[in-house]
Amino acid sequence: MLAARGLRRLTAAISLARRSASAVAALPAAGAARFPDYDAAVTECIERRALRVGRQVHARMVAAGYRPALYLATRLVIMYARCGALGDARNVLDGMPERNVVSWTAMISGYSQNERPAEALELFITMLRAGCEPNEFTLASVLASCTGSQGIHQVKQIHAFAVKTNFELHMFVGSALLDMYAKSENVQEAQRVFDMLPARDVVSYTAIICGYTHLGLDEEALGLFRQLYNEGMQCNQVTFTTLLNALSGLASLDYGKQIHGLILRKELPFFMALQNSLIDMYSKCGKLLYSRRVFDNMPERSVVSWNAILMGYGRHGLAHEVARLFRSMPEEVNPDSVTLLAVLSGYSHGGLVDEGLDMFDLIVKEQSTLLNIEHYGCVIDLLGRSGRLQKALNLIQKMPFEPTRAIWGSLLGACRVHVNIPVGELVARKLLDIEPENAGNYVILSNIYAAAGMWKDVFRVRKLMSKNTVIKEPGRSWMILDKVIHTFHSSERFHPRKEDINAKVKEIYIDIKAAGFVPDLSCVLHDVDDEQKERMLLGHSEKLAITFGLMSTPSGLPIQVMKNLRICVDCHNFAKVVSKVYGRDISLRDRNRFHLITEGACTCGDYW
């Protein structure tokens, strides 16, 4: 009876409204203390994360000379760890005359959840040396602490331990393993663990989907979501957010709309990260109007929300809209370094060179603490696109950061566009020293020489590539039709309708030449005659994808094509004339930006 009355008294006393000494006063005096009274008080503090009251309860135990049993001492460790007081939790653990696996795991989990991985791993080792066998919760907690440069090696060691102790196939351990393998980009091992799990839940599915998305394997991520959905699992906001990132990579508007509809039907509560992913997905699918609609309807927005919409407008080359939004942003949130990056990138893609340079000067004067190497990279890209290559080179030499390979690569790309051989050779030498295995640098230098008709130098670069066993990433374009992804490579040989496509592209070529189209033979990087160059240009993957779109979609619908590399000038011109002759809107998304083409005009203004 006394214990029951004490429990009711404690539960009523420790509340959000009165989290004070009244809770401690409600405890029995030293001589009358009962274990359930302290247990109830500590449990209430754990549930409410009431650290101050929890310390008072603990102090009452000490003052009363009450030595808590193993179970209650463990509850104290959990209470302190849950409240973030890791020093107090460790003191309790170290002072326990006896510890069990729950005690150790509570402290390891506390370190892991409070982003102190080194202490979690060290304590795990101490636990093993003390002769205590871990359980599935211990292993799952310590796996979450395997981060940093040695993280993957630690994961493999714990994985081996899990195999030896028969915990590998336990749901918690398996999910933690595949999550850590996916985060470390070891997606093959993550898939192996996933396939071995005797039962899968939405957490394990989400982890593997996230791993594939992070590596850009968006089709595989989408396939796994279909599998999850077909198994009848209920998705959460994390799953949807991860999936939307994959659909952004695929630029799959139809799937994106379906997922958005599914989110609305489930009536999920407002999650800002999910709304931000919708903004990003729609902008990458070429539907800025939808992005803006999501943005405008958000009940609250963070700086990430603003950055997503700014990046979207910049990606489409709408620099004036970027500037307008940026001016109104401080009324709601303060810009961060990503915001400034989005604005400078928007100016670069929109061709507003002087405005971009003025903005950079203003940032240097007023917000220099937010500047990093990426902001300088945007300005160098801005100068390079406009042909001010020497000025860009001077900025690289004067900036307070060591130039990265991305910055040198941006300048090398500009040298290709403007056929600047002296600067191009200088930059290429820098890049070949930094990353001799990157095929892109060889290819761009080869392109510069080819554009200038320097074929001996082209052959020299190709020979160097062969000597260093460097392989160029093949260009590919794709489009989604009736939920099927159709992928095209140069001179396509494997598509089931390749014969029809090749015949149709020749028919289109005759029509657009009659309308004034002149092929840009400088885009062919081989020393062959003009007739052969024209045939080679017709085999470019962008042209094949556009042709397939004309053949396979109803008149009046836009044609949406994605490309993994930068679109060449000839394919861009081809798309413009096709748009005018056939009366079709064409959306081309390459590695850098969107090209929305209507009636022979592109939103990029032929500047990309």
Side-chain angles (χ1 to χ4, degrees), residues 22 113 141 221 358 397 416 423 505 543 577 580:
S22 61
Q113 292 174 5
S141 295
D358 291 342
Q397 294 167 346
R416 175 186 61 184
V423 178
V505 75
K543 294 186 179 73
V577 182
K580 186 174 182 179

Side-chain angles (χ1 to χ4, degrees), residues 184-395:
S184 63
E185 300 186 359
N186 194 337
V187 75
Q188 292 85 1
E189 191 63 31
Q191 183 68 57
R192 191 189 72 79
V193 173
F194 180 80
D195 292 338
M196 289 179 62
L197 286 175
R200 299 163 189 151
D201 60 5
V202 69
V203 176
S204 53
Y205 263 107
T206 301
I208 191 72
I209 289 171
C210 186
Y212 277 116
T213 303
H214 185 66
L215 289 175
L217 301 172
D218 302 313
E219 293 180 46
E220 290 82 352
L222 180 57
L224 279 165
F225 176 78
R226 289 198 196 98
Q227 186 176 329
L228 174 156
Y229 192 75
N230 291 335
E231 290 182 13
M233 294 187 189
Q234 293 298 314
C235 303
N236 56 33
Q237 73 274 10
V238 180
T239 312
F240 284 127
T241 301
T242 303
L243 179 64
L244 287 169
N245 292 336
L247 296 177
S248 297
L250 287 172
S252 176
L253 180 61
D254 288 340
Y255 279 119
K257 285 180 176 179
Q258 290 178 38
I259 297 303
H260 192 183
L262 185 59
I263 292 168
L264 295 174
R265 287 194 299 275
K266 285 184 173 293
E267 297 183 345
L268 292 174
F270 174 76
F271 290 101
M272 194 177 296
L274 184 55
Q275 301 298 309
N276 293 341
S277 294
L278 282 168
I279 293 170
D280 185 61
M281 182 273 295
Y282 277 128
S283 75
K284 287 181 178 176
C285 290
K287 291 296 181 181
L288 269 177
L289 179 62
Y290 294 172
S291 289
R292 187 58 183 267
R293 190 176 297 163
V294 173
F295 178 80
D296 289 340
N297 289 331
M298 290 174 70
E300 60 176 305
R301 295 183 287 246
S302 68
V303 67
V304 178
S305 315
W306 283 87
N307 293 345
I309 195 69
L310 286 168
M311 284 288 190
Y313 278 115
R315 196 178 290 120
H316 286 76
L318 301 175
H320 292 291
E321 186 62 24
V322 170
R324 193 190 67 77
L325 266 174
F326 179 63
R327 285 194 295 270
S328 65
M329 181 179 175
E331 299 172 6
E332 190 171 313
V333 295
N334 291 322
D336 63 7
S337 62
V338 178
T339 311
L340 302 180
L341 189 65
V343 173
L344 290 172
S345 177
Y347 281 131
S348 178
H349 285 301
L352 300 183
V353 181
D354 293 330
E355 293 88 339
L357 294 175
D358 291 342
M359 174 60 71
F360 182 69
D361 290 339
L362 185 65
I363 294 171
V364 170
K365 289 178 184 177
E366 298 182 359
Q367 296 175 301
S368 59
T369 55
L370 296 178
L371 282 176
N372 58 42
I373 186 68
E374 291 181 307
H375 298 98
Y376 280 88
C378 270
V379 178
I380 290 160
D381 183 61
L382 179 76
L383 292 168
R385 287 171 184 270
S386 62
R388 306 181 193 182
L389 302 180
Q390 190 58 51
K391 190 171 182 178
L393 187 59
N394 293 340
L395 180 59

Side-chain angles (χ1 to χ4, degrees), residues 78 158 185 239 294 342 382 449 478 529 536 544 547 581 595 605:
I78 294 171
I158 296 171
E185 300 186 359
T239 312
V294 173
L382 179 76
Y449 287 138
W478 67 95
D529 61 48
M536 295 175 73
L544 299 178
T547 299
V581 170
H595 301 266

Side-chain angles (χ1 to χ4, degrees), residues 532-544:
Q532 179 67 12
K533 287 183 178 180
E534 288 193 34
R535 283 198 295 270
M536 295 175 73
L537 285 172
L538 274 183
H540 280 199
S541 64
E542 302 97 306
K543 294 186 179 73
L544 299 178

Side-chain angles (χ1 to χ4, degrees), residues 436 439 442 458-472:
Y442 297 88
V458 171
F459 298 142
R460 176 174 56 82
V461 173
R462 289 179 182 167
K463 187 176 180 181
L464 185 60
M465 285 182 70
S466 178
K467 178 183 176 182
N468 294 340
T469 62
V470 176
I471 301 173
K472 174 185 176 293

